[in-house]
Amino acid sequence: MSIIRARWSLVVLVIALTTLTALGVSLMLPKRYVAAASVVVDAKPDPVSALIYPGLASPAFMNTQVDVIASDRVALRVVRDLRLTELPELRQQWQEAQLEGTMEQWVADGLRGNMDVKPSKESNVLTVTYKSPSPQVAATMANAFVKAYLATSLDLRVEPARQYAGYFDIQAKTALEKLEAARAKLSAYEREHGILASDERMDVETARLNELSSQLVGLQALSSESGSRQGQAARGADTLPDVLANPVVSQLKADVSRAEAQLQQLSTRYGDNHPQVIEAKAAVADTRAKLRAETSRVTGAVAATNNINKQREAETRAQLDAQREKVAKLKLARDEASGLMREVESAQRAYENITTRLNQTSLESQTTQSNVNVLTEATPPRAPASPRIGLNTALAFVAGVILAVGIALLLELRDRKVRDADDVMAVLPLPMLGVLPAPGKRQPSSLPSVERRLLGHATSRGAA
């Protein structure tokens, strides 16, 4: 503090120069205005797919949006939207700079240097700021960056959807060709084998097969029965049920019985050689001949019936075998046709799925809405953001104080001076007898602290 008091004029001068210099520089610096616009990333479901946008709760998603806003694509879009390359002064500056690359890229790099984007800590709001010497330009550029970001965000959604739509369009055409080929193959197979996918031919043929099987069983029973009767007729026709049940045979048997009874009466009465007896014998023989003929006819009918039944059985068995072969072929054809039908159904499902995805991606490629909306638009600021004269002056004052103290200490290190009794005692290892007052000053009534210490030191030495 003694050093600062000794060099107070230098300290004040350094502080004044530093503060006034900062103040002058701040007043001379061009004013810079900052305009801010904000957007919000919405979490509502996608109107096309009805799905919530993924990753909205992740910090990486918001950081990605920050990178998108600060990208060359958004800056170049701002240049094109505002037609900045058509401004004569910018074109002249670019030509004078003689830089490599296009003018659009040069202007976009300049815009990016003045633009800044910051995400909110606990929300989905992004704030876009732009710094410019003109408040109107700052507001216009901030709004232009927000507008370009909205359009770019929509393009990032629409462009992949358009690519997918083109891909699914090609796949849909391929799937349709496969479906038509499968249908044509099925139709040709059905025409070739006489199969209709919509008729009940298989059921009809199966019913016919079952009917023939039933007929064959019935004919086999009849054939067995007729064969049994034919065998019985061969062993003895008299016991054959058909013969016993025949009314003609029964009548002839009755006639034979009556004729034999009458012959016996006549033989008993007249003898064997009587004309009536001879006539009665002839009548009995004639009746017996008729009975044998009728019995032979009945047994012959049994044999004919047996032959007919066997023939019908053979025909029915042949028809049954043919029907079985037909049904087997029909089943085989239907199985192959079913395989072709499954191919058609599979191709149909694939075509429908691809068509569904094509319609969805087509809708997504035509959407004009995104999950990013403008929250606030930038307006021309009233006060400049820089330079901050008060802050710069205060910081210059603090820096001037530190600089002034440092300079004073450095000068003191280079040129040491004795300013009080403590400095004398620190430099010279000799006893101090007293301190004279400065010229023009009165003697203090009380001794200074140094004199008291000296007096005490002298007293102690005298006692010793």
Side-chain angles (χ1 to χ4, degrees):
M1 294 301 297
S2 62
I3 295 172
I4 295 174
R5 284 196 300 269
R7 301 180 183 272
W8 65 271
S9 59
L10 177 62
V11 172
V12 172
L13 179 61
V14 171
I15 294 175
L17 287 176
T18 305
T19 305
L20 293 176
T21 301
L23 179 61
V25 172
S26 298
L27 293 175
M28 292 176 62
L29 288 175
K31 295 181 179 181
R32 306 280 289 180
Y33 295 86
V34 176
S38 60
V39 296
V40 59
V41 182
D42 204 350
K44 293 189 295 184
D46 189 332
V48 178
S49 60
L51 297 176
I52 297 177
Y53 294 101
L56 285 176
S58 173
F61 180 81
M62 298 305 296
N63 293 333
T64 302
Q65 301 308 308
V66 171
D67 295 337
V68 171
I69 297 177
S71 64
D72 286 340
R73 182 169 180 174
V74 174
L76 290 172
R77 194 179 194 107
V78 172
V79 174
R80 299 188 189 99
D81 292 344
L82 299 180
R83 298 181 179 180
L84 298 180
T85 56
E86 299 178 3
L87 298 178
E89 56 273 15
L90 288 179
R91 180 167 294 277
Q92 183 178 359
Q93 292 176 9
W94 176 68
Q95 292 175 353
E96 292 176 355
Q98 297 180 355
L99 299 175
E100 296 181 357
T102 62
M103 182 179 177
E104 283 187 353
Q105 188 64 45
W106 176 72
V107 176
D109 293 339
L111 296 181
R112 290 175 59 194
N114 295 324
M115 188 273 300
D116 188 21
V117 55
K118 294 181 180 179
S120 299
K121 292 183 178 180
E122 297 182 357
S123 66
N124 295 331
V125 177
L126 298 174
T127 303
V128 179
T129 60
Y130 191 85
K131 185 183 295 184
S132 174
S134 172
Q136 290 78 12
V137 173
T140 301
M141 297 306 298
N143 291 327
F145 266 95
V146 169
K147 182 180 178 182
Y149 166 63
L150 295 178
T152 303
S153 178
L154 182 60
D155 290 342
L156 292 177
R157 289 189 54 211
V158 171
E159 288 179 1
R162 289 175 180 172
Q163 295 176 0
Y164 282 124
Y167 170 76
F168 283 120
D169 187 22
I170 297 174
Q171 296 300 319
K173 292 180 181 178
T174 304
L176 181 59
E177 293 176 357
K178 292 182 179 179
L179 176 60
E180 293 177 350
R183 287 176 177 174
K185 186 177 180 181
L186 176 61
S187 299
Y189 186 85
E190 289 176 347
R191 288 194 301 269
E192 180 180 357
H193 294 82
I195 300 174
L196 294 178
S198 60
D199 66 359
E200 300 179 355
R201 183 176 178 184
M202 186 68 188
D203 296 335
V204 172
E205 297 297 337
T206 302
R208 176 62 177 167
L209 178 64
N210 295 332
E211 182 181 357
L212 289 175
S213 298
S214 301
Q215 291 180 4
L216 179 61
V217 172
L219 290 175
Q220 285 177 345
L222 291 176
S223 178
S224 177
E225 182 184 0
S226 61
S228 176
R229 286 186 297 171
Q230 185 178 4
Q232 186 177 0
R235 290 190 299 271
D238 294 337
T239 59
L240 186 65
D242 293 347
V243 174
L244 296 177
N246 191 284
V248 177
V249 173
S250 298
Q251 183 65 34
L252 290 174
K253 285 183 177 181
D255 293 344
V256 169
S257 297
R258 285 194 298 272
E260 288 180 348
Q262 186 177 4
L263 174 62
Q264 186 177 2
Q265 290 178 2
L266 292 175
S267 297
T268 302
R269 182 182 298 177
Y270 299 110
D272 293 335
N273 294 323
H274 191 273
Q276 291 184 358
V277 173
I278 294 172
E279 184 180 357
K281 289 181 178 180
V284 170
D286 183 56
T287 304
R288 287 183 180 277
K290 290 181 179 180
L291 178 60
R292 288 194 296 272
E294 186 64 24
T295 301
S296 177
R297 188 186 67 80
V298 173
T299 55
V302 170
T305 302
N306 184 37
N307 293 332
I308 291 173
N309 290 337
K310 288 184 177 298
Q311 184 177 0
R312 290 179 60 190
E313 179 185 357
E315 291 176 355
T316 304
R317 180 175 284 106
Q319 292 178 0
L320 180 62
D321 294 338
Q323 187 66 19
R324 284 176 178 173
E325 184 178 359
K326 185 177 182 180
V327 171
K329 291 181 178 179
L330 186 59
K331 285 183 177 180
L332 180 61
R334 284 297 298 271
D335 292 339
E336 294 180 0
S338 299
L340 295 177
M341 290 178 63
R342 286 192 293 270
E343 291 181 4
V344 172
E345 293 175 356
S346 177
Q348 181 70 33
R349 287 193 298 271
Y351 176 70
E352 291 176 354
N353 293 334
I354 294 175
T355 304
T356 302
R357 291 290 294 135
L358 174 61
N359 294 333
Q360 182 177 353
T361 52
S362 297
L363 289 176
E364 292 177 356
S365 64
Q366 298 174 5
T367 183
T368 58
Q369 300 294 328
S370 67
N371 62 324
V372 181
N373 298 300
V374 178
L375 184 62
T376 58
E377 293 185 354
T379 57
R382 296 181 180 180
S386 64
R388 299 182 180 180
I389 299 176
L391 179 61
N392 294 344
T393 303
L395 293 177
F397 177 79
V398 174
V401 171
I402 297 173
L403 181 62
V405 173
I407 292 175
L409 294 177
L410 289 175
L411 293 176
E412 185 66 24
L413 290 176
R414 294 183 61 185
D415 185 11
R416 298 286 291 173
K417 292 182 179 181
V418 177
R419 294 185 174 87
D420 53 17
D422 291 333
D423 292 342
V424 173
M425 295 181 64
V427 175
L428 300 175
L430 297 175
M432 184 176 293
L433 300 179
V435 178
L436 295 177
K441 290 187 177 181
R442 297 175 60 187
Q443 181 69 27
S445 60
S446 59
L447 294 176
S449 61
V450 176
E451 293 181 2
R452 289 197 298 270
R453 290 200 303 270
L454 292 176
L455 182 59
H457 181 68
T459 305
S460 64
R461 290 186 65 183

